[in-house]
Amino acid sequence: MQWAWLIPVFCFAAAPLIVVFGQKLPGKGAILSLLAITGGFVAFWIVLVNFLGASPTSSGCFTSEHTESLTCVYEQSWFHAADLELVWGIIIDPLTLVMLGLVTFVALMVQVYSLGYMKGDPKFGWYFAVHSLFAAAMLTLVLADNFLLLYVAWELVGICSYLLIGFWHERPSAREAAKKAFIVTRIGDVGLLIGILLLWREVGSFSMTEAFNAASTGAMSEGVTTAAALLLFLGAMGKSAQVPFHVWLPDAMEGPTPVSALIHAATMVVAGVFLVARAFPLFSAYDADPLLVVAIVGLVTALMASTIALVATDLKRILAYSTISHLGLMMLSLGAFGYTAAIFHLLAHGFAKALLFLGAGSVLHSTEELEIGRMGGLRKVMPLTAFVFSIGALSLGGIPILSGFWSKDEILAAVNDHRNAVFIVFGLITALMSALYMARATFIVFYGDIKQAMEHVHESPWQMIIPMALLAVLAAGFGFLSFNWPGNYDGIGSFVSFGEGHGFQFTWWLGILSAIMAVGSFIFAWMTYVKRRIALETITSKFAPVLKVVENKYYFDEVYQWVVDRVVLVFSGVIAWFDRAVVNDIAVNSPADSVRRLGFTLRLHITGHVYSYTLAMVLGSVGLGVFWWIRST
């Protein structure tokens, strides 16, 4: 396990090699990126096998007093700053391992898919170089055992996201989307940095373990612990696109579709959920007040994003708002003490959503179209894409017995057990809408009669189909990991947990209710969009004002633009005037101008004529004499 640090190093090494030597290598260096992430994926399995065979007596390993699970930490000195010694290290625990598996597998699938999708792009090599750098940064973030290293990787992930969203920077929309994502997430990152510095001031170290111990033992006060947790949550809100920082994610669809599958579905955006899970001892300390904030923000985000996904007409944006909604569900689960449920859904959602984005990319690759109203019946010309996309949609929609059903049921159970009725009611409404918008997108695009404009469409190449097929297997069957198996495995709850782990516990009334809602939603969508037996015009006309607000995404972008134009720019203009007129002209330039004018005045007595100097001396002497005489009389 000590060699787990090699998992990101493979990708770190590949990125500069592709940039420098890519043009001279086969596939412009893409092979290096694929070999690096494949090496990381293989190394993950080696680390997993070693971890499963380890015990608290193994080198560097112990039983965490917080998660009550085996944890292995390996550190070494990084550098010294005055009296502070900074170390860097890796932490291997169940949370780390599930994230390593998700990131390496999805990144590998996306890169194989990209061989077909990005074929012929003039920046083919650069695309894979940034892909490798992003994977390396995300893997480092997951492995980091201290907040300083985590923050470095966190910011590097943001830079890579900026580069990939703006990959086609020739397009104004891509440039603007990249800047928007970078700026919005930086707002949250400021909170994260302040929270890390607050913990360092209180603990005297960047070590996560020491910070968690200080919170659990009372060495760090309740006020400081709560403030630090909420500041860390600001960073998580930015990365995981929680309200009000959610506005960057839909625009990030301007990047290549495989980027959406990698960064904005399965890896980068779940970094915020991972951060809250990693710092859970801070959030759950004392009275766990920060978790109530997490639950409220998660619920509002999930509910709001799901309503927008119901009316969106761009396929990738539907999936983008679906991602925001499900990230909100994960935050809601964490806020309801559903640690295991949140991580379980993170994995199930990651596989299904990566599949759906790759399916959307397959549709775009063949049709050059994303408006769902212009498509229809594609299953007749793209049967494989339609099949795997349908599996992903059914899974996220919560159809039994696919993986999304089990993970979503665990979230609802946690909310029902630890939060009041308001949370479970709106959680169920969100689950209902999740099934509705996935059914709507699937049936409109792939089922019904094929439109004439789509008859020329063909199936995508094998480089794109195989990764989608493998992801479809996990989207369908990953949920069975929740069950007890013969042997030592007692369900995912016995592996990933906070506190004492336990096997899968099915809440029958919630499971049956959510299954009925999911199946009913798909039947309703089938009757509406395929059979055309249900007309929505009457409903939409009655709720036209509400629909207008939802279709305009609750006017968040317009409000932000107004704030920028009327507040930020006006205030900046006042500050600029003060800086120019007061600071520069009065405080800085005025003394200099006074000295300059005095110098010009004083230089007039320097004539260079001896008789002028003599006259001045005589007049001065006479003046002094007269003054002395007046004083003496």
Side-chain angles (χ1 to χ4, degrees):
M1 286 183 291
Q2 294 93 324
W3 295 96
W5 59 271
L6 281 174
I7 298 176
V9 166
F10 291 141
C11 294
F12 270 126
L17 290 175
I18 295 173
V19 172
V20 177
F21 303 108
Q23 295 297 327
K24 300 178 182 179
L25 295 173
K28 296 184 179 180
I31 186 65
L32 285 180
S33 182
L34 282 167
L35 289 174
I37 196 61
T38 302
F41 186 57
V42 172
F44 152 72
W45 284 104
I46 296 173
V47 171
L48 176 61
V49 170
N50 278 269
F51 180 83
L52 294 177
S55 69
T57 60
S58 302
S59 175
C61 297
F62 56 92
T63 299
S64 170
E65 63 180 86
H66 306 294
T67 62
E68 298 185 19
S69 60
L70 182 67
T71 302
C72 303
V73 177
Y74 305 100
E75 294 180 332
Q76 68 178 37
S77 179
W78 191 1
F79 63 89
H80 290 79
D83 296 331
L84 177 66
E85 180 185 5
L86 296 175
V87 298
W88 74 274
I90 58 175
I91 180 170
I92 308 295
D93 67 354
L95 178 61
T96 301
L97 289 168
V98 296
M99 289 297 296
L100 288 176
L102 175 69
V103 174
T104 53
F105 178 73
V106 173
L108 177 59
M109 294 299 99
V110 169
Q111 290 196 23
V112 173
Y113 178 96
S114 298
L115 292 175
Y117 189 88
M118 299 298 293
K119 184 178 181 180
D121 193 283
K123 295 183 290 184
F124 189 77
W126 172 248
Y127 172 85
F128 279 92
V130 181
H131 250 282
S132 287
L133 187 60
F134 167 80
M138 189 66 198
L139 292 167
T140 303
L141 188 156
V142 168
L143 285 165
D145 79 321
N146 66 83
F147 285 111
L148 182 60
L149 182 60
L150 179 142
Y151 185 75
V152 172
W154 187 277
E155 291 303 306
L156 186 55
V157 166
I159 293 172
C160 294
S161 174
Y162 170 80
L163 294 173
L164 287 170
I165 295 171
F167 180 76
W168 287 315
H169 55 80
E170 302 85 1
R171 305 175 183 174
S173 57
R175 294 197 300 269
E176 294 302 317
K179 289 188 290 185
K180 186 176 183 179
F182 191 80
I183 292 170
V184 172
T185 53
R186 291 291 77 69
I187 297 172
D189 292 354
V190 171
L192 173 61
L193 178 59
I194 296 173
I196 291 173
L197 294 177
L198 177 61
L199 289 172
W200 171 75
R201 190 196 69 177
E202 291 295 314
V203 180
S205 168
F206 290 104
S207 169
M208 294 180 183
T209 303
E210 293 184 23
F212 301 159
N213 290 338
S216 61
T217 60
M220 190 162 57
S221 68
E222 180 178 358
V224 172
T225 303
T226 300
L230 293 177
L231 287 167
L232 294 182
F233 184 54
L234 275 178
M237 288 172 64
K239 274 288 191 289
S240 291
Q242 300 296 287
V243 172
F245 301 137
H246 67 287
V247 293
W248 68 269
L249 185 58
D251 290 349
M253 299 303 109
E254 292 294 335
T257 303
V259 169
S260 302
L262 177 67
I263 295 182
H264 308 122
T267 51
M268 172 187 158
V269 292
V270 299
V273 177
F274 167 80
L275 176 61
V276 175
R278 175 63 79 203
F280 208 71
L282 295 178
F283 286 85
S284 59
Y286 296 102
D287 294 329
D289 290 335
L291 286 182
L292 178 59
V293 177
V294 173
I296 293 172
V297 171
L299 179 62
V300 171
T301 301
L303 194 61
M304 184 179 295
S306 61
T307 58
I308 301 175
L310 270 176
V311 299
T313 58
D314 182 287
L315 182 57
K316 285 178 66 175
R317 289 183 182 271
I318 293 173
L319 299 180
Y321 282 108
S322 170
T323 298
I324 297 172
S325 180
H326 282 272
L327 290 169
L329 284 175
M330 296 174 209
M331 289 297 189
L332 172 61
S333 181
L334 288 169
F337 300 89
Y339 181 94
T340 300
I343 302 306
F344 188 25
H345 193 61
L346 185 154
L347 296 171
H349 170 267
F351 297 131
K353 189 55 64 65
L355 166 61
L356 290 170
F357 268 112
L358 294 185
S362 178
V363 170
L364 177 62
H365 184 264
S366 297
T367 65
E368 299 182 357
E369 182 62 69
L370 281 174
E371 281 293 319
I372 61 175
R374 299 173 186 170
M375 293 183 279
L378 289 183
R379 67 181 177 84
K380 297 178 181 179
V381 288
M382 303 181 70
L384 296 178
T385 298
F387 177 71
V388 295
F389 189 97
S390 298
I391 290 177
L394 291 168
S395 178
L396 276 191
I399 296 294
I401 52 175
L402 304 180
S403 60
F405 169 76
W406 305 111
S407 61
K408 194 180 298 181
D409 178 76
E410 283 287 275
I411 291 177
L412 294 174
V415 173
N416 183 61
D417 291 341
H418 296 99
R419 293 298 174 195
N420 62 43
V422 174
F423 286 89
I424 188 61
V425 168
F426 284 108
L428 286 168
I429 292 174
T430 302
L432 173 66
M433 289 192 289
S434 177
L436 277 174
Y437 62 65
M438 289 314 310
R440 170 177 172 261
T442 304
F443 290 142
I444 290 178
V445 173
F446 292 102
Y447 294 86
D449 296 329
I450 189 170
K451 294 190 176 182
Q452 187 175 2
M454 298 287 113
E455 292 178 351
H456 70 284
V457 174
H458 55 81
E459 189 59 89
S460 298
W462 66 267
Q463 297 101 321
M464 298 168 65
I465 294 297
I466 291 178
M468 289 193 291
L470 293 175
L471 287 167
V473 172
L474 289 172
F478 181 76
F480 292 109
L481 286 179
S482 59
F483 296 105
N484 303 358
W485 286 357
N488 296 326
Y489 186 75
D490 192 33
I492 194 171
S494 63
F495 183 67
V496 181
S497 63
F498 188 83
E500 184 179 356
H502 58 81
F504 180 73
Q505 297 176 351
F506 188 70
T507 306
W508 287 101
W509 74 270
L510 271 176
I512 294 173
L513 180 59
S514 65
I516 291 174
M517 290 193 306
V519 173
S521 296
F522 274 84
I523 292 174
F524 175 82
W526 175 269
M527 300 300 291
T528 302
Y529 300 109
V530 179
K531 294 300 183 179
R532 306 289 181 181
R533 294 180 182 176
I534 299 177
L536 296 178
E537 289 75 11
T538 304
I539 300 175
T540 55
S541 61
K542 289 182 179 179
F543 296 96
V546 176
L547 285 175
K548 184 178 180 181
V549 173
V550 177
E551 288 171 351
N552 285 280
K553 299 165 287 187
Y554 296 93
Y555 297 100
F556 269 93
D557 287 304
E558 287 78 5
V559 170
Y560 288 156
Q561 192 63 54
W562 183 89
V563 171
V564 170
D565 292 340
R566 301 298 177 87
V567 179
V568 175
L569 293 181
V570 172
F571 181 73
S572 300
V574 173
I575 295 298
W577 172 85
F578 181 82
D579 177 66
R580 181 179 63 256
V582 178
V583 176
N584 285 348
D585 294 349
I586 297 177
V588 177
N589 293 339
S590 182
D593 291 340
S594 299
V595 172
R596 180 173 56 83
R597 286 193 297 269
L598 181 62
F600 274 111
T601 302
L602 291 177
R603 74 175 184 173
L604 296 177
H605 78 284
I606 308 299
T607 64
H609 300 146
V610 176
Y611 58 81
S612 297
Y613 301 152
T614 304
L615 177 61
M617 292 171 64
V618 170
L619 292 175
S621 298
V622 171
L624 288 173
V626 171
F627 178 76
W628 176 81
W629 178 76
I630 293 173
R631 288 288 302 275
S632 63
T633 58

